[in-house]
Amino acid sequence: MLGGGERPEVLRREIIGVGIVAAVVLVASAVAGVVWGVLAPTERLRVTQPGRAAVLTGESMHLFDAVGMFLCIGAAVAVISAVGAWRVRIARGPALVLGVLLASGLGAALMMWIGEWVAGVRHPRPDDPVVGQIVALPAEIGTDLALLVQPLLAALVLLFLAALHPAADLNSGAAGLLGDLRPAEFADEADDFRLPYGVEQYRPSGDFDPSSQPRG
């Protein structure tokens, strides 16, 4: 169990670690937004009369393509950021999951905003197109549900990594912001724990060892 003087220092390092991870997630999401804004396909229309246009054949599918690309890029950012955040051992715990979840949610919104801005700069809407002109409209997400994939997937990856870890403290050196919940006597008795007699007769593979075993 951590002493009274050690806990503030551990909490400070954990908060700093979570803050750095959150900042990296936001930067990565912003870069992903630029990538999406460059790669997202446009929707082309033909101007039929002033103020009216008709979508060219097959161009309406690009709206789905743009959203699909956004989801794939957001999922990649979520997995990479979650795995990278897990490498910060001092920050492992509830605070890290909460920080990554919030940062990924804000990052998804930032990715959408920056991506749509980049797409609008690359393909600006014409003010007064002439009849017969082909107009390329910039890509748009169109639904806020697409923002849920990145934070939920990032949190799911972190929970999966935590569930597979054999150590109760996740090798962070502390129980985290929820406090050290393990009584001190548990840690003291851990080294003195002995397996019941007969358990050592079984090999790691599960086969029984017929040889005589020492008693006492």
Side-chain angles (χ1 to χ4, degrees):
M1 180 179 290
L2 297 177
E6 296 177 353
R7 285 191 57 80
E9 177 63 22
V10 172
L11 292 178
R12 186 183 69 85
R13 290 188 297 169
E14 184 176 6
I15 293 174
I16 292 177
V18 172
I20 293 176
V21 169
V24 172
V25 171
L26 291 176
V27 172
S29 299
V31 174
V34 174
V35 173
W36 178 82
V38 173
L39 298 180
T42 60
E43 183 184 17
R44 296 188 302 171
L45 301 88
R46 180 187 298 275
V47 179
T48 57
Q49 55 182 311
R52 293 183 176 274
V55 180
L56 298 181
T57 303
E59 290 295 315
S60 60
M61 294 298 296
H62 290 331
L63 298 177
F64 174 80
D65 297 338
V67 176
M69 292 176 61
F70 182 89
L71 295 178
C72 291
I73 296 176
V77 174
V79 173
I80 294 175
S81 61
V83 174
W86 185 254
R87 302 293 297 175
V88 185
R89 291 189 176 184
I90 189 59
R92 290 178 181 175
L96 180 64
V97 177
L98 182 60
V100 171
L101 181 63
L102 295 178
S104 297
L106 294 176
L110 183 64
M111 176 181 169
M112 182 182 68
W113 182 81
I114 292 180
E116 290 182 348
W117 177 78
V118 172
V121 171
R122 294 184 65 244
H123 305 283
R125 295 174 180 270
D127 295 331
D128 189 17
V130 299
V131 176
Q133 180 180 352
I134 303 297
V135 179
L137 299 182
E140 295 180 352
I141 299 302
T143 174
D144 293 337
L145 295 178
L147 304 181
L148 299 178
V149 173
Q150 182 176 342
L152 292 182
L153 184 58
L156 183 62
V157 171
L158 284 177
L159 292 177
F160 180 76
L161 293 174
L164 292 181
H165 203 281
D169 62 352
L170 306 178
N171 281 348
S172 63
L177 292 178
L178 294 181
D180 194 347
L181 302 180
R182 291 174 300 165
E185 57 269 24
F186 283 12
D188 296 336
E189 295 176 358
D191 297 336
D192 299 331
F193 179 77
R194 295 293 183 270
L195 294 175
Y197 174 76
V199 174
E200 65 273 8
Q201 298 180 16
Y202 290 90
R203 299 174 179 175
S205 62
D207 299 333
F208 181 77
D209 188 358
S211 61
S212 60
Q213 301 294 327
R215 297 178 177 271

